[in-house]
Amino acid sequence: MDDDPRVRTWAPVCRAVAALLGPYAEVVLHDPGTDRILAVWNPMSARGPGDPSLLGELDALDPAAPDVFGPYEKLLADGRRLSSVSAILRDADGRASVVLCVNLDRTPLEQAAAVLSAFGAPAASRPEPLFEHDWSDRVQHVVGSYVRECGRPVERLTRADRLAVLARLEEARVFAVRRATPVVARALGVSRSTLYGLLAELRAPNTKDHAR
Amino acid sequence: MDDDPRVRTWAPVCRAVAALLGPYAEVVLHDPGTDRILAVWNPMSARGPGDPSLLGELDALDPAAPDVFGPYEKLLADGRRLSSVSAILRDADGRASVVLCVNLDRTPLEQAAAVLSAFGAPAASRPEPLFEHDWSDRVQHVVGSYVRECGRPVERLTRADRLAVLARLEEARVFAVRRATPVVARALGVSRSTLYGLLAELRAPNTKDHAR
DNA sequence: TCCACATTGGACGTAGAGTCCAGCCATGGA
DNA sequence: TCCATGGCTGGACTCTACGTCCAATGTGGA
């Protein structure tokens, strides 16, 4: 793996970032062609060269895509919370050469900040981010704004429209809350069965059919 | 105990020190005559008024002894490392009135210092995260901050503590999300059964028992 | 030492999450 | 007009996991 010319090209910057951010950051180089890991500096998970990248959503080969993603939040199996940025690094011809990811472990910093701030605080300040007081509002909001965007009322949405709305709701983790499915089905004006059908299609886009 | 005139005299300074040093310091007032505890602010061990002082080596009644001892190191049963100072407080006639002890838990500070020095960077105190995309983070956050507030690790929380934590989680609508209960149980270090028991008690405070 | 009580694992009943299917309706092509 | 296709539907079904209950086990205090 180390003899890959791309690794030779980008390794110095990876080593530099890994050295700068000390033991709390992991630097990963991905191959956008094979969707596999090329090299890892300062690994925090058990992944190594050759393992699948699992980059998923970001499509490096799309020339219209932006070059830098994030920072966004990732979660490790052991509960550590990471701040991650990804960058598409291009060769002289502008083609995507590799994808660089930097994963910074935020938990030690957050612990430190919490300890220090706890010292100044006379009364125990209640940590109350409490955003989605009502998740069903969020459903209405997502559906409503989509309807406004495309100018069609709910009952005239196409199948593709519904898939798009569901993608947003899925991204908002709406289906992780209990009893959410019937609410979404009603908001979309479809039956429970249809909703599950759409969700299945959404979650397995490759397996179009032929599965019988 | 609170009506002891010496406690009335010295309580304000004890409260002040306890308030200043946040949840990480315990202030204890001892009676050098009976060698027993008069009062405790912000207790970290299970000791309370009336318990033996176990001051041992320091003899408050010896007029030749110095007034301030320490700081010296103590070790708690759970492994926390304390920095302690003791002072002999005297009345108007110069007789030893009480012995004041301040025990500061050094472990959180040491952790913070290690993290920050590892980075070699000044502390940019970060505000709490506003967007909690992942509800299991919220669980950890609520439990963690409660533990920090009361200075006891998870496994030494009392039943009342656990009820308080559960109240916050309930208020944060954590139990509306699927598969949350086992996560919370693990975070609190109790079994699923116990968790449901605590939740029942929390949700029906009037119906103490007699329900059979 | 004994008692009271909290905790535990496990068994159990049930709600709700997903799956599957046969039938229905709409659209569109002959 | 008729038929074929494909999505939608209600309903029946399975299975996960939610919540309850209980006997057994610790554990701390008189």
Side-chain angles (χ1 to χ4, degrees), chain B residues 159 162 178 190-194:
Chain B
R159 183 183 176 80
R162 288 196 247 269
R178 308 181 54 195
V190 299
S191 74
R192 219 169 57 91
S193 309
T194 307

Side-chain angles (χ1 to χ4, degrees), chain A residues 26 37 40 43-49 51 76 80:
Chain A
E26 171 193 59
I37 292 178
V40 183
M44 298 196 322
S45 44
R47 302 182 303 168
D51 289 341
L76 246 47
R80 278 181 294 171

Side-chain angles (χ1 to χ4, degrees), chain A residues 70-149:
Chain A
Y72 50 92
E73 190 168 301
K74 270 201 238 175
L75 210 59
L76 246 47
D78 59 0
R80 278 181 294 171
R81 195 152 50 163
L82 306 180
S83 279
S84 300
V85 288
S86 302
I88 298 174
L89 308 182
R90 305 181 182 281
D91 59 17
D93 306 73
R95 278 187 301 256
S97 165
V98 296
V99 175
L100 168 76
C101 287
V102 181
N103 302 314
L104 178 67
D105 185 359
R106 269 170 34 190
T107 42
L109 283 175
E110 283 176 354
Q111 285 172 359
V115 167
L116 295 179
S117 72
F119 253 96
S125 70
R126 176 82 65 91
E128 204 86 33
L130 269 218
F131 228 62
E132 28 175 339
H133 256 276
D134 197 352
W135 55 271
S136 97
D137 278 351
R138 181 174 297 193
V139 174
Q140 304 301 348
H141 184 256
V142 170
V143 176
S145 50
Y146 190 96
V147 162
R148 253 172 274 120
E149 280 173 32

Side-chain angles (χ1 to χ4, degrees), chain B residues 26-30 47 53-60 65-74 83-90 98-104:
Chain B
E26 172 192 57
V27 179
V28 187
L29 225 47
H30 302 273
R47 301 181 303 169
S53 288
L54 303 175
L55 284 180
E57 60 285 351
L58 107 117
D59 187 5
D67 275 357
V68 176
F69 297 83
Y72 49 91
E73 189 169 301
K74 272 202 236 173
S83 279
S84 300
V85 288
S86 301
I88 298 174
L89 309 182
R90 304 181 183 281
V98 296
V99 175
L100 167 78
C101 286
V102 180
N103 301 314
L104 177 67

Side-chain angles (χ1 to χ4, degrees), chain A residues 182-202:
Chain A
V183 173
V184 171
R186 226 173 304 123
L188 272 181
V190 298
S191 75
R192 222 168 54 92
S193 309
T194 308
L195 178 60
Y196 280 116
L198 292 170
L199 276 180
E201 188 172 334
L202 187 70

Side-chain angles (χ1 to χ4, degrees), chain B residues 40 60 67 69-70 78 83 87 102 117 122 134 153 171 182 184 206:
Chain B
V40 182
D67 275 357
F69 297 83
D78 57 2
S83 279
V102 180
S117 73
D134 197 335
E171 192 190 2
V184 172
N206 358 359

